């Protein structure tokens, strides 16, 4: 999803396979519209949109190979990110036939994960990409939104909206695993009482660092911590 109808425009977010997108305007190969899941708006290439379908399975792997046949030696048609929603036409041995290719059953979740922090930690080392929310690259809010979605929890797309919508405020001195730490335009999640996991432009990837070191470093760039929220 781009801020303007151009491939040179900045990416603000991404639509995954199976996400609904309401088109309000269609012009010159670009659609202006709104994502149904988080109400985010932007421009999407019309060629990337398809007919709606009823999702029956969800990708649980960081990236799931989409095979051309029910055989791991066959050519790949695509790589599908975590939380991509899939139709199920049939099942063939260990593979799910989606109608557009085959996904191994081990890459498909029978039900949501339970620990969103563990999901977020799986993205450790993934590159930082503004507007991204897949293992190919993601930003700070994309990491948290993706992890929460994997456990069946809805969240807004941007940090300021998450800060307002999610959890209850606590003191930073009382942080524990799963607490969300917010700055102006940035956020991360605590792995325990001392370590912060966040996608950030300083390391240019999803990194773990001591909260005691992250707070003064980030404060120099964007200001002090604005909130700590417990889900």
């Amino acid at each position: 999803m781009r801020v303007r109808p151009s491939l040179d425009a900045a990416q603000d977010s991404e639509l995954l396979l199976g996400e609904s997108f309401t088109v309000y305007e269609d012009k010159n190969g670009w659609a202006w519209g709104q994502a149904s899941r988080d109400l985010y708006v932007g421009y999407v290439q019309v060629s990337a949109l398809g007919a709606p379908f009823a999702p029956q399975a969800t990708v649980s792997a960081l990236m799931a190979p989409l095979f051309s046949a029910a055989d791991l030696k066959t050519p790949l048609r695509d790589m599908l990110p975590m939380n991509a929603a899939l139709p199920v036409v049939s099942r063939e041995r260990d593979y799910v036939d989606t109608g557009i290719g085959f996904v191994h059953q081990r890459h498909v979740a029978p039900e949501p994960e339970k620990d969103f922090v563990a999901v977020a930690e799986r993205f450790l080392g993934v590159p930082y990409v503004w507007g991204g929310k897949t293992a190919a690259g993601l930003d700070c809010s994309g990491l948290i939104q993706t992890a929460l979605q994997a456990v069946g929890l809805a969240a807004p797309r941007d940090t300021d909206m998450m800060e307002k919508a999610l959890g209850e405020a606590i003191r930073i001195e009382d942080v524990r695993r799963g607490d969300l730490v917010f700055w102006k335009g940035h956020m991360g999640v605590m792995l325990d009482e001392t370590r912060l996991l966040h996608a950030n432009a300083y390391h240019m990837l999803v990194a773990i660092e001591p909260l005691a070191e992250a707070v003064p470093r980030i404060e120099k760039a964007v200001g002090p911590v604005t909130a700590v929220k417990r889900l």
Side-chain angles (χ1 to χ4, degrees):
M1 298 178 67
R2 299 184 183 272
V3 297
R4 300 188 313 277
S6 169
L7 291 176
D8 294 327
Q11 171 182 282
D12 264 354
S13 190
E14 293 182 287
L15 289 174
L16 307 184
L17 178 66
E19 287 195 61
S20 297
F21 182 75
T22 302
V23 176
Y24 298 128
E25 184 180 12
D26 178 350
K27 186 177 181 181
N28 298 326
W30 288 87
W32 162 258
Q34 187 172 42
S36 299
R37 180 178 293 277
D38 59 16
L39 305 182
Y40 220 69
V41 296
Y43 288 93
V44 176
Q45 285 185 287
V46 173
S47 60
L49 302 176
F53 60 85
Q56 296 168 288
T58 304
V59 173
S60 56
L62 289 184
M63 299 292 283
L66 182 67
F67 297 98
S68 56
D71 185 338
L72 60 82
K73 295 183 180 179
T74 57
L76 296 185
R77 292 183 175 174
D78 207 343
M79 294 291 290
L80 304 179
M82 178 184 286
N83 294 330
L86 309 173
V88 176
V89 175
S90 64
R91 295 180 183 270
E92 186 174 336
R93 300 191 304 278
D94 294 333
Y95 291 82
V96 174
D97 181 0
T98 68
I100 57 173
F102 294 79
V103 176
H104 197 280
Q105 64 180 11
R106 293 189 183 277
H107 294 154
V108 176
E111 57 186 37
E113 301 268 0
K114 296 182 179 180
D115 183 355
F116 88 93
V117 182
V119 175
E121 195 169 4
R122 291 169 60 188
F123 288 88
L124 184 64
V126 167
Y128 179 88
V129 172
W130 180 270
K133 59 177 190 178
T134 77
L138 36 64
D139 60 20
C140 64
S141 55
L143 171 66
I144 304 304
Q145 187 192 49
T146 296
L148 289 173
Q149 184 180 341
V151 300
L153 298 176
R157 181 63 178 89
D158 289 340
T159 56
D160 59 339
M161 292 186 287
M162 285 197 195
E163 183 176 342
K164 293 177 182 178
L166 301 180
E168 300 293 332
I170 65 166
R171 300 190 313 157
I172 194 169
E173 295 82 7
D174 298 329
V175 290
R176 68 185 188 199
R177 180 179 175 84
D179 291 340
L180 303 176
V181 184
F182 293 90
W183 292 261
K184 182 179 180 181
H186 187 61
M187 69 182 301
V189 62
M190 298 301 297
L191 294 181
D192 51 35
E193 291 81 2
T194 62
R195 296 179 301 151
L196 177 77
L197 175 76
H198 59 148
N200 66 92
Y202 177 79
H203 296 98
M204 282 304 292
L205 47 72
V206 179
I208 298 172
E209 65 178 312
L211 182 64
E213 295 179 10
V215 167
R217 177 178 62 75
I218 297 173
E219 183 172 355
K220 291 178 182 178
V222 300
V225 170
T226 55
V228 182
K229 306 294 286 288
R230 178 164 296 163
L231 301 181

